Amino acid sequence: MQLLHATAEAVPFAKTGGLADVLGALPAAQVALGHDVLVVHPWYARLAAEPPPLWIGDVDVPFDGAQVAVGVGTLELGGVRLAFVGHPSFQRDALYGYPDDAWRFALFSRAVPTVAARLGFVPDVLHVHDWHAALLPALVRHAALLPPGFSGLPSLLTVHNAQYQGWADAADVVAWGRLPGTLAGPLALHGKGNLLHAGLRTADRVTTVSPTYARELLQPAVAYGLERAFADLGPRLVGILNGLDYQAFDPAGDAALPAGFDADDLRGKDVCRAALTRELGVDPDRPLLGVVSRLADQKGIDLLIDALPAVLAQGWNLALLGAGDPALEDALEGAFAAHPDRLGGRIGYDEGLARRIYAGADALVVPSRFEPCGLAQLIAMRYGTLPIARATGGLLDTIDDGRTGFLFAAAEAPALAAALARARAARDDREGWRAMQAAAMAARFDWARAARAYDDLYRDVVADAGTAAAPGASRAARGGAAARPEDAGS
Ligand code: ADP
Ligand code: GLC
């Protein structure tokens, strides 16, 4: 099949979190299954890969009442084709965090068909990721002025994180996209334009990145206002667990580490641990907790801060890397300063240090309030570092409590402290800990499995589209799919 992914991040080009890891690995797994894959990505001011894309000219995109010129760049990497969408609004220091983010990514979405068509690529299925690209299913279903072959394309939206939604004015969203004005209401959430909601209401299938998170999305506390839209999807909402790229994350051949190791010989892990404690200036003779995380409310780092007295009392040291919320950054800097020989780390984004923490720590703390999948715990397991994590979302689906890691239920510091104590006791049982490390390192969440699960859905949406196109077929006849609210024209 010809598959088109639209995403705001992909390794090795731009990354703020696991979305980039997924889009760096899934397309390659799909090429390995025989698909022809194009990934369309914004052309940010800085793309962390050489060589830069090849600029092949500009195209005009009908957007916001005008024809907007966007640059088209191309590259091929490991059999995956890439297209980059250039516009001055992407020439900024950061990927996100600007007042016009919804406008910028609506433009990106609107540009995807034109840019793909410029490359002669008309997909069988459009696979869009998160709010940044979530307007696309509405566009291919309803917008005017699409290039040939894009109107009515089957679409699949993957929700990597439902907390980020892309809010805007409801009338603006339809005007930007050149969508019928009657859609402003149905695409909006509580009267406000919401790009992720627009995607949930118009995509043929919606997936998320673990089965447990797919169930949790029916709860208001996890769905952030979208619980109704998720519930309305019924069986069209499916959880497909992410994989890990076991070549990109391999402790035996990781250039960021001072020594390599594998499950049969963990001596290199001791070298990594000693080097990490030197790098961060913490006492080398205590068991070491690691954290690699965005510092966002989602990640529960405040629980860890509240549990720091227990961390110290239990005899752990801490190696932390993270960036985000300034209040959490300050609290962590304060803790590092108060206990320099016990708590160490860096505020910032640092790929090399992240890998040295995964390798050098004994256990990785992941106290997330919610976690759609989580890749950090998968990387940690690969590096023989046992996750101590909240039993939510993909953490619950990937960590086997007492065998490959430690889970705790309540999103409260005492529950985290109790799990830390359990891990601390387990760490004193040398043989038992080794057995857990071996089990964690042997665990496999491979991308081929996930790619095959996506294949099943692609086949479904293509078959549904065929049924719908057949004479006399009605949408209600499409595989029992529920009618979409926007079809009612409400
Ligand atoms: P999320 O996408 O919600 O941030 P994931 O666990 O899915 O969580 O993925 C996070 C990814 O980003 C992992 O590859 C992790 O190693 C990386 N990462 C997170 N914070 C940092 C940081 N400060 N420096 C380097 N890498 C980081
Ligand atoms: C999001 C989620 C994270 C998930 C990642 C990749 O950033 O927060 O849990 O692993 O997307 O799907």
Side-chain angles (χ1 to χ4, degrees):
M1 270 190 229
Q2 303 242 117
L3 306 174
L4 188 160
H5 289 282
T7 177
E9 303 185 17
V11 164
F13 303 100
K15 170 169 169 176
T16 69
L19 172 65
D21 291 314
V22 171
L23 271 299
L26 171 62
Q30 295 177 319
V31 167
L33 290 183
H35 296 301
D36 193 4
V37 186
L38 176 71
V39 177
V40 187
H41 186 287
W43 196 335
Y44 296 115
R46 272 181 297 280
L47 292 176
E50 289 295 333
L54 175 71
W55 180 72
I56 59 165
D58 286 352
V59 291
D60 283 335
V61 175
F63 184 75
D64 199 6
Q67 293 289 332
V68 177
V70 305
V72 182
T74 66
L75 262 187
E76 192 176 316
L77 191 67
V80 177
R81 296 171 70 184
L82 289 124
F84 294 87
V85 177
H87 185 268
S89 66
F90 290 117
Q91 296 296 305
R92 297 180 186 168
D93 288 341
L95 270 54
Y96 326 114
Y98 301 98
D100 59 350
D101 277 355
W103 184 93
R104 300 162 68 219
F105 285 98
L107 169 61
F108 168 69
S109 299
R110 181 75 227 207
V112 166
T114 314
V115 166
R118 170 69 182 77
L119 299 177
F121 194 96
V122 180
D124 297 301
V125 180
L126 198 58
H127 188 162
V128 307
H129 298 268
D130 273 354
W131 73 266
H132 321 96
L135 192 57
L136 259 163
L139 295 173
V140 294
R141 186 174 290 279
H142 297 290
L145 303 175
L146 292 167
F150 280 83
S151 185
L153 269 183
S155 62
L156 193 143
L157 164 65
T158 296
V159 177
H160 297 261
N161 192 323
Q163 188 177 16
Y164 304 106
Q165 301 177 358
W167 290 93
D169 184 88
D172 282 350
V173 170
V174 292
W176 295 340
R178 304 258 186 126
L179 288 161
T182 50
L183 282 181
L187 296 187
L189 180 66
H190 307 312
K192 282 285 282 175
N194 181 308
L195 296 175
L196 186 59
H197 183 259
L200 298 179
R201 293 298 187 193
T202 51
D204 292 300
R205 291 287 188 287
V206 175
T207 70
T208 188
V209 287
S210 70
T212 295
Y213 187 60
R215 286 190 294 277
E216 291 172 341
L217 283 173
L218 306 180
Q219 304 163 13
V222 180
Y224 289 88
L226 295 171
E227 54 278 3
R228 174 73 202 278
F230 283 114
D232 286 348
L233 288 164
R236 290 190 298 125
L237 171 65
V238 179
I240 297 178
L241 193 68
N242 283 336
L244 181 69
D245 183 336
Y246 286 91
Q247 266 157 16
F249 293 100
D250 178 2
D254 189 328
L257 306 185
F261 58 93
D262 60 25
D264 294 331
D265 183 352
L266 287 170
R267 279 173 300 178
K269 188 166 172 69
D270 293 334
V271 175
C272 291
R273 198 164 158 285
L276 178 64
T277 57
R278 268 198 308 280
E279 180 175 356
L280 299 178
V282 296
D283 169 0
D285 296 324
R286 292 173 184 274
L288 186 63
L289 294 174
V291 173
V292 178
S293 183
R294 288 186 293 114
L295 300 180
D297 183 59
Q298 168 193 349
K299 300 292 182 181
I301 299 301
D302 54 313
L303 305 182
L304 177 62
I305 292 171
D306 289 347
L308 282 177
V311 167
L312 294 169
Q314 291 172 19
W316 296 104
N317 282 350
L318 176 70
L320 179 144
L321 171 66
D325 179 349
L328 291 172
E329 292 184 350
D330 287 351
L332 290 166
E333 298 266 31
F336 299 160
H339 303 278
D341 58 330
R342 304 287 307 276
L343 311 178
R346 198 167 297 157
I347 301 302
Y349 186 90
D350 183 333
E351 179 75 29
L353 179 55
R355 289 167 176 270
R356 292 193 291 280
I357 291 177
Y358 289 124
D362 295 294
L364 189 85
V365 189
V366 194
S368 305
R369 291 200 160 72
F370 71 93
E371 195 61 72
C373 179
L375 294 176
Q377 81 280 12
L378 302 184
I379 305 170
M381 287 192 261
R382 168 71 159 156
Y383 284 69
T385 299
L386 301 182
I388 303 170
R390 236 200 105 224
T392 184
L395 298 169
L396 183 61
D397 292 344
T398 56
I399 299 167
D400 192 350
D401 186 40
R403 200 180 73 87
T404 60
F406 304 87
L407 292 171
F408 63 97
E412 290 162 9
L416 168 57
L420 291 169
R422 238 173 6 109
R424 185 67 190 78
R427 172 72 165 63
D428 283 341
D429 165 14
R430 219 180 138 71
E431 288 307 304
W433 189 268
R434 276 288 151 94
M436 287 186 74
Q437 283 182 305
M441 293 179 89
R444 284 292 174 274
F445 301 92
D446 62 295
W447 271 114
R449 165 203 46 82
R452 283 192 296 271
Y454 283 113
D455 269 5
D456 290 342
L457 294 184
Y458 297 153
R459 275 193 289 270
D460 286 353
V461 292
V462 168
D464 286 358
T467 312
S474 69
R475 176 151 306 149
R478 287 176 167 205
R484 296 169 184 76
E486 110 258 3
D487 295 332
S490 58

